[in-house]
């Protein structure tokens, strides 16, 4: 059992999973390069958590293949578990222990030597800004502190791949942004992050690539900008100094909508560099003076709604007893 370090961090082909007659995953394919953040988006019940459970060897898929850190999730489950960390939707810390005791206990479970367990615990307390709270019971921690400790516990075994299943649910904006920075630092150190989230701004901020899961199928995949460009509604807004310049531009550009009250035009655009350059060239050729130019593209909320028919965070699946996500 030797991990192939040139292989993707995660490779999934034709993965299927059903609970009774309910199809949760319907033949999905995923490839996640090492040292990146990959975000899986989907409404409640779309199959996000089921995907994480299969890839982290907590449950088996019905068919298809999955490799994590170069190991097969079905045939080399022990090697997969030794290579990953998992932080679920709900904190898994022990409230009766202190933060330091939680970390020492996890170090024991990873069979670290006495000196190493102390050193690793001290390092993680410093890394996650928990030194001052180290001797306090976790029951006294804020939500943000508990999530930081939860992620610190995940890192005790120095995993190559970390599954973060809706890691910032319930956190205030400041705590969420602190978690985002931790994720960025982990990726900069070479760790691969597989992120599921219902916060689309989170995926926009963190993910190198995003896949949208709807009713068990991957309905779109790409960078955040690529996904946004797939959705109509993008435009370039041109504002002019006076009505004369506005009229001239309207005649020259043709396909534009007028904002008389603000002396502005909206020109349809996919937001790409090519379309923007083409527009600027047309303005230059006609010697049209523009006071202000701004590019407006659909956000991930628009993408999510267009691809799934549901706003982010809604429940499209009433069969919750199967714990699909």
């Amino acid at each position: 059992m030797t991990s192939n370090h040139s292989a993707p961090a995660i490779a999934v082909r034709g993965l299927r999973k059903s609970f009774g007659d309910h199809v949760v995953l319907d033949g999905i394919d995923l490839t996640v390069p090492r040292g990146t953040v990959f975000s899986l988006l989907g409404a409640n019940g779309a199959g996000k958590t089921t995907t994480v459970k299969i890839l982290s060897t907590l449950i088996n898929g019905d068919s298809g293949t999955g490799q994590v850190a170069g190991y097969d999730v079905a045939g080399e489950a022990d090697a997969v578990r030794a290579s990953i960390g998992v932080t679920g939707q709900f904190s898994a810390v022990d409230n009766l222990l202190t933060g330091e005791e939680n970390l020492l206990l996890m170090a024991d479970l990873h069979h670290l030597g006495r000196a190493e367990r102390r050193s690793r615990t001290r390092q993680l307390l410093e890394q996650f800004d928990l030194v001052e709270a180290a001797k306090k019971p976790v029951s006294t921690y804020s939500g943000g502190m508990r999530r930081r400790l939860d992620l610190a516990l995940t890192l005790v075994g120095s995993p190559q791949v970390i599954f973060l299943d809706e890691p910032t649910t319930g956190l205030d904006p400041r705590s969420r942004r602190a978690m985002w920075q931790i994720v960025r630092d982990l990726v900069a150190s070479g760790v691969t992050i597989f992120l599921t989230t219902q916060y689309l701004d989170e995926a926009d901020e963190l993910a190198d690539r995003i896949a949208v899961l709807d009713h068990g199928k991957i309905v779109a995949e790409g960078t955040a900008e690529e996904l946004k460009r797939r959705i109509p509604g993008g435009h370039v807004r041109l504002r002019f100094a006076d009505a004369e310049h506005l009229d001239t531009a309207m005649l020259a550009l043709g396909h534009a909508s007028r904002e008389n009250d603000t002396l502005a035009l909206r020109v349809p655009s996919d937001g790409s560099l090519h379309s923007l350059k083409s527009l600027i060239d047309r303005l230059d050729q006609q010697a049209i003076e523009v006071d202000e130019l701004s590019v407006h593209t659909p956000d991930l909320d628009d993408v999510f709604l267009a691809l799934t028919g549901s706003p982010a965070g809604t429940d499209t699946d009433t069969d919750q007893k199967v714990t699909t996500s």
Side-chain angles (χ1 to χ4, degrees):
M1 281 190 300
T2 303
S3 174
N4 181 3
H5 289 280
S6 64
I10 299 171
V12 175
R13 295 292 177 268
L15 187 61
R16 298 179 183 273
K17 182 66 178 178
S18 298
F19 293 93
D21 294 332
H22 179 71
V23 179
V24 182
L25 298 176
D26 192 10
I28 68 170
D29 297 332
L30 296 172
T31 301
V32 181
R34 293 176 184 263
T36 64
V37 179
F38 186 94
S39 182
L40 186 62
L41 302 181
N44 289 337
K48 303 187 304 296
T49 296
T50 296
T51 303
V52 170
K53 286 182 176 180
I54 293 172
L55 295 179
S56 59
T57 75
L58 294 176
I59 61 174
N60 294 321
D62 296 334
S63 62
T65 62
Q67 289 191 327
V68 176
Y71 301 108
D72 182 75
V73 296
E76 301 173 294
D78 287 344
V80 171
R81 292 173 193 144
S83 304
I84 66 172
V86 181
T87 297
Q89 296 177 22
F90 305 102
S91 181
V93 298
D94 190 322
N95 290 324
L96 300 179
L97 301 179
T98 67
E100 182 180 55
E101 288 168 343
N102 268 277
L103 286 165
L104 289 171
L105 176 60
M106 185 61 70
D108 283 341
L109 294 175
H110 280 276
H111 306 293
L112 300 186
R114 185 178 182 84
E116 187 179 3
R117 67 194 282 267
R118 288 286 178 186
S119 172
R120 188 69 175 141
T121 295
R122 184 168 56 253
Q123 175 194 348
L124 289 169
L125 288 170
E126 292 173 355
Q127 181 178 348
F128 288 87
D129 194 22
L130 292 169
V131 174
E132 292 185 8
K135 303 291 186 181
K136 298 177 181 178
V138 172
S139 58
T140 66
Y141 284 19
S142 67
M145 293 168 66
R146 291 169 64 87
R147 294 306 278 168
R148 295 204 306 273
L149 177 60
D150 206 19
L151 188 50
L153 291 171
T154 301
L155 291 176
V156 168
S158 301
Q160 299 176 41
V161 178
I162 297 177
F163 293 93
L164 298 182
D165 192 11
E166 300 187 17
T168 62
T169 298
L171 296 187
D172 61 77
R174 179 173 294 181
S175 296
R176 286 181 65 215
R177 291 187 176 277
M179 284 293 290
W180 292 356
Q181 188 56 51
I182 289 170
V183 169
R184 293 187 185 101
D185 292 342
L186 289 172
V187 173
S189 71
V191 175
T192 303
I193 302 291
F194 188 98
L195 170 72
T196 75
T197 181
Q198 292 184 21
Y199 297 120
L200 301 186
D201 60 332
E202 187 161 271
D204 207 350
E205 283 281 338
L206 296 176
D208 296 290
R209 290 189 68 79
I210 297 168
V212 181
L213 186 63
D214 186 42
H215 292 90
K217 293 181 179 290
I218 300 295
V219 294
E221 183 180 341
T223 66
E225 294 307 313
E226 287 170 347
L227 293 179
K228 291 173 190 177
R229 285 201 293 268
R230 292 180 53 165
I231 307 303
H235 63 274
V236 175
R237 186 174 184 271
L238 306 174
R239 192 169 64 82
F240 300 89
D242 52 50
E244 182 180 349
H245 285 94
L246 175 64
D247 292 337
T248 303
M250 186 73 185
L251 288 172
L253 298 176
H255 299 293
S257 57
R258 185 173 182 139
E259 298 178 6
N260 288 316
D261 56 337
T262 58
L263 295 177
L265 290 180
R266 291 190 176 198
V267 182
S269 170
D270 63 5
S272 67
L273 183 61
H274 174 75
S275 66
L276 184 59
K277 183 178 182 300
S278 176
L279 174 60
I280 292 173
D281 287 344
R282 289 165 64 192
L283 293 169
D284 283 343
Q285 289 167 7
Q286 299 288 334
I288 298 171
E289 295 184 13
V290 179
D291 261 21
E292 183 181 291
L293 181 152
S294 55
V295 180
H296 300 261
T297 57
D299 59 21
L300 282 183
D301 288 277
D302 299 316
V303 172
F304 195 93
L305 182 60
L307 293 173
T308 69
S310 303
T314 61
D315 185 358
T316 61
D317 193 334
T318 57
D319 190 1
Q320 292 302 299
K321 65 180 179 293
V322 296
T323 62
T324 58
S325 73

